[in-house]
Amino acid sequence: MLPRPKNTFTLKQDPREAMVRSSKSPKINHRSVGLKCLPGEHIHEASLRVRKRFHFKDGYYDVFGTLYCTSYRIAFRPDCFSSSQDSSEEVIFDSDNDIALPCADRILAVAHQSKVKVVTPSLSLKFVPEELLIYCRGFQLMHFHFSDNGLKTEAFSMTNTMAKNQQVFGSVVQQEAMLRSLDKRDSPTRMDYPTQMFESAADWENEIERVGASAWRVTPLNERCDTCTSLSKYFVVPCKLLDNELKKTFAHFQQRRIPRWSWHHQGGSDLLRSAGFQTNTDPDKEDVRSIRSLLFGSHSQCVIIDTSEDLPSVADIQVSFLKLRALCCNDTATPVPNEKWLSNLEATRWLDHVRSCLKKASEVSMLLSERNRSVVLQEPEDRDVNCLLASLVQVLSDPYSRTLSGFQSLVQKEWVSAGHPFMQRINHFKQSDKEESPVFLLFLDCVWQCLQQYPTAFEFTESYLLALHDSTYNLFCSTFTHNCPWDRIRGSQRHSSSQTYTPINGWRDIVREKVLLNGDYKSVEEVKSAPPTVWEWSLFYHHSRRQQFRNPLYRIRQQAVLNGNGVMHNADKLDVSNACNVYLLSKGVLVLQSPFFPRKSVTVSKRGGRRSQSVESLLEEEKQLRSNISSEQSMADLLLPLCVAPWVRLWTRCYLRCATDVQGDNQRPPVASLAEELKTLEDKLKKLRVNSQDQRHNGSVQSDVNGVSSSPYR
C-alpha cells in the first residue's frame, strides 16, 4: 500500500464550469454552453480553458476555448469567436473545429512530453494527460493543450469519454438516424453556388440542352430502381432507341450497367461510360443491334477505352494511399530521415497514379476533340475508375466544369448519381477494409495538379478543394455517406411508414401516396426536406472561410455556342472507308475490335509491376501529344497538363497537415494572399501615378506663370 502524502492540494473550480457541469447528472446542460447541439445530440463532457495549438516553422500560437465531447462529435469553440459576424449563420458542423467520432483515426495522450499513449476503450489511462493529439482520417491534426502543470482533472475524463463514445457511435443506423434528425430544419439552406443534383429528369434535360446534345434523350426506365439498383433513376440514351429495345440490353452488361451518355463535346463527339460485357450471354441479332445503337449513338465510329488497362486498380490506389498516409502522418517518435523522405514518397507510387490518370484523361480529351465520334469508357463494374476518368476529361475539356457550380454538378453527375460506392470506398465506420479505396480523393488530387498548372482557368481555389477533401469524411451530410442512389433512398425510407418492400427483380421504391408535380411523380419523402448536402457550405464553414473558395485570378472566357452538328477539326485518323466500326484504345494505339460483341470481357488483365519510364521518354510522348493539336484547337479551352516532375508534385497543404512546421502555412491560401498583395501594389502604383501627374501638371502651370511674368511684352 502506497503511503499517503503529507502535502495535499485542492483544485479551484472555474465559476463557468459550475454552469456547464451538473453534479447530479452526468449529462451537460447544453443550453448554457456555446455549442449548439443537433437533435438527439447530448454533450457528455466539456472542458474550459483548453488551448488549441497551431504550429508554425518559427513557433506556435494558442487559441483558448472550450472542448466538448458529445454523442456525435468532438467539438472546439474558441472564446474569441466573433458572434457579431456570423450570428445569423447556422453552422451545424464546424469543419475547422469539429471531428465526427468515427473519423478520429487515432487519439494520443501526452504528459510531460515523455509519456505518450494511444487512447483506446480497452486500455485504461494511467496518467492525467496534458495534451491531446487527435489524428483525423483526412490528414488533419487537432492539438489540444489542457494545462502546464498536469493537474487538469477534466483532461482525464475527457480523454476516456472520447474513447468510449467513439466505440459507441460506429454504425450506419446511428448515422442515418442523425441525418433524419437534420430533416427537421425549419427551412432548407440556400446553396452558395447553384448545383444540379441529377435526381430528376429535368436536371438531365437541362444538361442536354446546355451542351446541345440533340440526339440524346432522358429515359425513366429505372425510375423505381428495379432495373439496375446501382444506377440513378434517370439516365440518357440515344433518341432512336426505344425503351422496349433498351430493356433487352441490361442483361448483357455486368451489374446491368449499360452504356450511358455522359457529356457532349462542342465538336460533335460524345462521351459514354459502361460496364464490361457479360461473358455468359449470347445476344441475338436484335440485342446486338440495340447495343450498337447504345455505343454509337448518332456517330459512325466508336472508340472503346479499357480504363483498367493503364490506370491503377482499386486495390493499387488503397495500397498507395496507406503508404502515403503512413509517411505523412508518421509519429514524431519515429521520424523519417530527410534524406530518405523523397525516396519513400516515390515508393508509395501515389504520384505515379496521379500521372497515369492525367495522361489518360489527356488522351481521351484528344480523341473527343479530334473528330465526330463516340468514345466509351469501359470498366468491369463502371463505379470507380470510370467516375474518375469521366470527371477529369470534362474538367480538361469543358470550361463550365471548372466553375464552382459546374464542378459541383459534375461531382453529382459522375460520382453521386452514377453510383460510386462512397460508403465502401471511404469506409467511414471501418466495417470492410477490403472495399476501402480513396478513388475520389485521387480525383481531387488530379484536379489540384491542373489548378497549379492553370491557375486562371478555375473559378475555385485550393482552399475549396481542401474543404471538399475534408467533407468526404463529414457524416453530417448525405452526399458521401451512401453507395448509390438506391441506397440513399432506402436509407431515408427504412423507418418510414409509407415505404413498401417488394422483392421483385430487386428492391422497388413503391410508396402508397404519390403526388403529381410538374409532370414528374414524386414520393412523399421527396417532397419533404431532405438531409443537408455537402454543397450547403454555410452549414459547415463560416463566411470568412467560404470567401476563400472563389479564385480572384479566374478569368471568364467567352464560350462557343454548342451544337450537335460537329466540326471536323483535324483529318480523320481512322479509316473512313470502314463505316460503323468499333475501335479499342490499347497502349495509345487504336485497334479495330472484331467481332463487335466479344465472347469474353474486353477488359485486359492487370499486368504486374513494370519499369517506370524515364523523364526523357515521358517528355517525348508529351511533345508528340501536343504536336497533334491544330492551331484552332490550341486556342480552344482544352487543358493538357504536364504529367512529369516537377509539374506533378505532392499536395503539401493537404497531406502534410500533420507536420507541425506546415500547419501555420495552411491557414491562408497562397492564391488569395497573392491576389490581395497584387491589389495593394496596384493601388500604390495608381496613387504614385496620380501624384506624379499632379506634380507634372503643377510644374507646367508654374513654368507658364513664370514665363508670362518675365515676358517683355507684359
Side-chain angles (χ1 to χ4, degrees):
M1 182 176 180
L2 296 176
R4 178 175 297 180
K6 297 180 180 180
N7 298 330
T8 60
F9 58 90
T10 58
L11 294 176
K12 293 183 179 181
Q13 185 180 17
D14 194 294
R16 294 176 296 176
E17 296 183 5
M19 299 174 59
V20 175
R21 175 172 293 278
S22 174
S23 59
K24 297 181 180 180
S25 175
K27 293 184 179 180
I28 307 299
N29 184 11
H30 61 272
R31 295 183 180 178
S32 60
V33 296
L35 180 64
K36 184 175 182 179
C37 293
L38 301 174
E41 183 181 17
H42 302 285
I43 299 178
H44 293 172
E45 197 69 36
S47 182
L48 301 174
R49 298 177 299 174
V50 176
R51 289 176 290 175
K52 184 179 180 181
R53 181 158 295 180
F54 296 90
H55 295 267
F56 291 89
K57 293 182 179 179
D58 54 351
Y60 63 88
Y61 76 94
D62 295 335
V63 176
F64 287 84
T66 306
L67 182 62
Y68 303 94
C69 181
T70 72
S71 53
Y72 291 163
R73 53 181 163 169
I74 301 171
F76 178 78
R77 291 297 174 266
D79 294 338
C80 59
F81 176 72
S82 178
S83 59
S84 60
Q85 296 179 358
D86 300 322
S87 59
S88 60
E89 297 184 355
E90 184 185 356
V91 180
I92 63 174
F93 182 85
D94 189 358
S95 298
D96 292 329
N97 295 310
D98 296 355
I99 310 169
L101 288 172
C103 297
D105 185 63
R106 185 177 42 175
I107 302 177
L108 296 182
V110 183
H112 303 293
Q113 298 181 354
S114 59
K115 297 181 180 179
V116 180
K117 185 175 182 180
V118 180
V119 179
T120 59
S122 58
L123 298 178
S124 60
L125 200 61
K126 302 296 184 182
F127 58 90
V128 178
E130 297 179 0
E131 303 176 38
L132 278 183
L133 299 176
I134 303 178
Y135 289 87
C136 307
R137 299 187 60 192
F139 293 92
Q140 291 176 292
L141 173 62
M142 298 289 188
H143 187 184
F144 299 105
H145 196 280
F146 287 97
S147 177
D148 294 332
N149 50 18
L151 300 179
K152 190 75 173 178
T153 56
E154 288 80 4
F156 184 82
S157 57
M158 174 67 71
T159 306
N160 292 330
T161 304
M162 287 181 182
K164 293 179 181 178
N165 289 6
Q166 188 179 15
Q167 185 182 22
V168 173
F169 184 64
S171 64
V172 182
V173 178
Q174 291 181 348
Q175 188 263 344
E176 291 177 354
M178 180 185 65
L179 290 178
R180 287 195 305 272
S181 65
L182 297 178
D183 292 349
K184 302 178 182 179
R185 293 175 293 167
D186 298 334
S187 60
T189 307
R190 183 181 62 86
M191 294 184 182
D192 293 354
Y193 318 105
T195 304
Q196 296 282 353
M197 305 303 293
F198 292 96
E199 295 177 350
S200 63
D203 294 341
W204 288 99
E205 291 173 356
N206 293 336
E207 181 68 9
I208 292 176
E209 183 180 359
R210 183 187 70 85
V211 298
S214 58
W216 302 83
R217 67 176 180 89
V218 181
T219 175
L221 193 59
N222 197 42
E223 191 172 14
R224 295 180 175 179
C225 297
D226 54 352
T227 305
C228 179
T229 57
S230 61
L231 285 179
S232 60
K233 291 183 178 181
Y234 308 95
F235 49 88
V236 181
V237 295
C239 292
K240 62 182 179 181
L241 189 62
L242 302 178
D243 286 345
N244 292 332
E245 302 173 345
L246 186 63
K247 290 181 180 179
K248 301 178 182 179
T249 61
F250 283 88
H252 303 297
F253 293 89
Q254 298 184 25
Q255 295 191 4
R256 303 175 63 86
R257 296 176 65 90
I258 62 174
R260 309 168 315 283
W261 177 86
S262 182
W263 180 68
H264 179 77
H265 191 271
Q266 62 179 351
S269 299
D270 289 291
L271 179 66
L272 288 78
R273 49 183 299 179
S274 169
F277 294 107
Q278 286 283 8
T279 59
N280 55 353
T281 60
D282 189 12
D284 53 16
K285 293 183 179 180
E286 295 183 359
D287 294 349
V288 171
R289 189 181 304 110
S290 300
I291 295 175
R292 291 181 67 93
S293 300
L294 277 176
L295 295 176
F296 282 87
S298 59
H299 305 281
S300 61
Q301 292 176 348
C302 174
V303 178
I304 297 179
I305 299 177
D306 181 16
T307 57
S308 63
E309 180 181 4
D310 297 326
L311 298 181
S313 64
V314 174
D316 295 337
I317 297 175
Q318 174 63 5
V319 172
S320 178
F321 182 78
L322 292 178
K323 293 180 180 179
L324 178 66
R325 180 176 179 81
L327 179 64
C328 297
C329 300
N330 201 357
D331 295 336
T332 57
T334 58
V336 179
N338 294 331
E339 60 272 9
K340 295 183 179 180
W341 201 91
L342 292 178
S343 60
N344 291 338
L345 175 62
E346 190 67 22
T348 62
R349 299 204 61 187
W350 180 261
L351 295 181
D352 290 340
H353 298 334
V354 174
R355 295 187 190 100
S356 61
C357 293
L358 291 175
K359 181 180 177 182
K360 197 69 174 181
S362 300
E363 293 178 356
V364 177
S365 301
M366 284 296 303
L367 284 175
L368 290 169
S369 60
E370 280 177 355
R371 58 156 299 142
N372 192 332
R373 60 164 64 99
S374 173
V375 178
V376 183
L377 306 180
Q378 193 170 44
E379 186 188 9
E381 296 183 358
D382 182 38
R383 301 182 68 180
D384 292 295
V385 183
N386 266 9
C387 299
L388 187 152
L389 191 57
S391 304
L392 197 55
V393 167
Q394 296 178 54
V395 169
L396 298 181
S397 304
D398 190 2
Y400 176 73
S401 299
R402 300 192 285 269
T403 63
L404 283 163
S405 298
F407 187 77
Q408 294 181 171
S409 302
L410 176 66
V411 174
Q412 281 290 141
K413 180 179 67 172
E414 300 297 345
W415 294 85
V416 181
S417 179
H420 177 68
F422 281 104
M423 183 61 72
Q424 295 179 0
R425 296 296 179 251
I426 303 299
N427 195 15
H428 299 86
F429 300 100
K430 301 180 181 180
Q431 294 180 342
S432 178
D433 296 339
K434 296 181 179 179
E435 301 293 335
E436 182 178 354
S437 181
V439 184
F440 182 70
L441 303 185
L442 179 61
F443 163 70
L444 294 182
D445 197 328
C446 295
V447 176
W448 178 83
Q449 303 289 342
C450 299
L451 178 61
Q452 301 307 302
Q453 299 187 27
Y454 300 92
T456 61
F458 293 85
E459 188 183 9
F460 49 85
T461 61
E462 182 183 12
S463 295
Y464 173 83
L465 291 178
L466 198 61
L468 185 57
H469 179 280
D470 297 339
S471 298
T472 56
Y473 299 98
N474 187 357
L475 298 177
F476 295 84
C477 61
S478 60
T479 305
F480 303 126
T481 55
H482 297 88
N483 291 324
C484 59
W486 166 65
D487 190 20
R488 184 174 292 101
I489 297 172
R490 183 179 60 174
S492 62
Q493 295 180 348
R494 180 174 288 124
H495 299 277
S496 176
S497 58
S498 61
Q499 187 266 342
T500 304
Y501 186 87
T502 306
I504 300 177
N505 194 19
W507 185 87
R508 302 186 65 180
D509 178 18
I510 302 177
V511 184
R512 288 199 300 264
E513 301 181 34
K514 288 188 176 181
V515 293
L516 185 61
L517 183 62
N518 297 328
D520 293 335
Y521 286 101
K522 293 186 178 182
S523 62
V524 176
E525 286 75 9
E526 292 175 334
V527 178
K528 296 180 180 179
S529 61
T533 64
V534 70
W535 315 124
E536 301 175 41
W537 294 109
S538 59
L539 296 178
F540 310 107
Y541 290 95
H542 293 286
H543 179 69
S544 58
R545 179 69 185 277
R546 300 199 307 272
Q547 284 183 324
Q548 302 175 4
F549 289 173
R550 192 180 295 274
N551 184 7
L553 303 179
Y554 174 66
R555 297 180 180 178
I556 302 177
R557 303 182 61 180
Q558 295 292 334
Q559 301 181 19
V561 179
L562 303 183
N563 56 72
N565 298 327
V567 181
M568 303 292 287
H569 293 292
N570 278 346
D572 297 344
K573 295 187 178 182
L574 302 181
D575 190 3
V576 184
S577 60
N578 296 329
C580 297
N581 286 330
V582 178
Y583 292 83
L584 180 65
L585 181 64
S586 177
K587 301 179 182 180
V589 180
L590 292 175
V591 181
L592 182 63
Q593 180 69 21
S594 180
F596 164 71
F597 195 89
R599 296 304 173 184
K600 60 181 180 178
S601 177
V602 300
T603 56
V604 184
S605 60
K606 297 291 293 183
R607 299 186 301 271
R610 58 182 184 275
R611 296 180 59 185
S612 59
Q613 292 178 280
S614 61
V615 178
E616 291 77 7
S617 61
L618 291 174
L619 286 174
E620 185 65 26
E621 289 183 3
E622 292 188 359
K623 289 181 181 179
Q624 295 178 359
L625 180 64
R626 283 163 172 75
S627 63
N628 296 330
I629 308 176
S630 64
S631 59
E632 182 180 357
Q633 288 176 339
S634 62
M635 298 298 294
D637 291 311
L638 177 63
L639 304 182
L640 292 178
L642 296 171
C643 305
V644 296
W647 292 279
V648 176
R649 56 184 186 269
L650 184 68
W651 189 2
T652 56
R653 284 194 65 201
C654 179
Y655 302 132
L656 296 183
R657 282 182 287 178
C658 290
T660 57
D661 58 345
V662 186
Q663 286 183 352
D665 299 335
N666 296 333
Q667 300 302 316
R668 191 170 184 85
V671 176
S673 59
L674 179 61
E676 292 183 2
E677 187 176 354
L678 289 175
K679 186 178 179 181
T680 304
L681 293 176
E682 289 178 356
D683 295 339
K684 291 182 178 180
L685 287 175
K686 290 180 180 179
K687 292 180 180 179
L688 291 175
R689 290 173 182 174
V690 172
N691 295 334
S692 61
Q693 291 177 0
D694 294 341
Q695 292 177 359
R696 292 177 182 177
H697 178 71
N698 296 334
S700 62
V701 171
Q702 186 68 24
S703 62
D704 294 340
V705 172
N706 296 333
V708 171
S709 60
S710 60
S711 176
Y713 301 99
R714 185 170 181 257

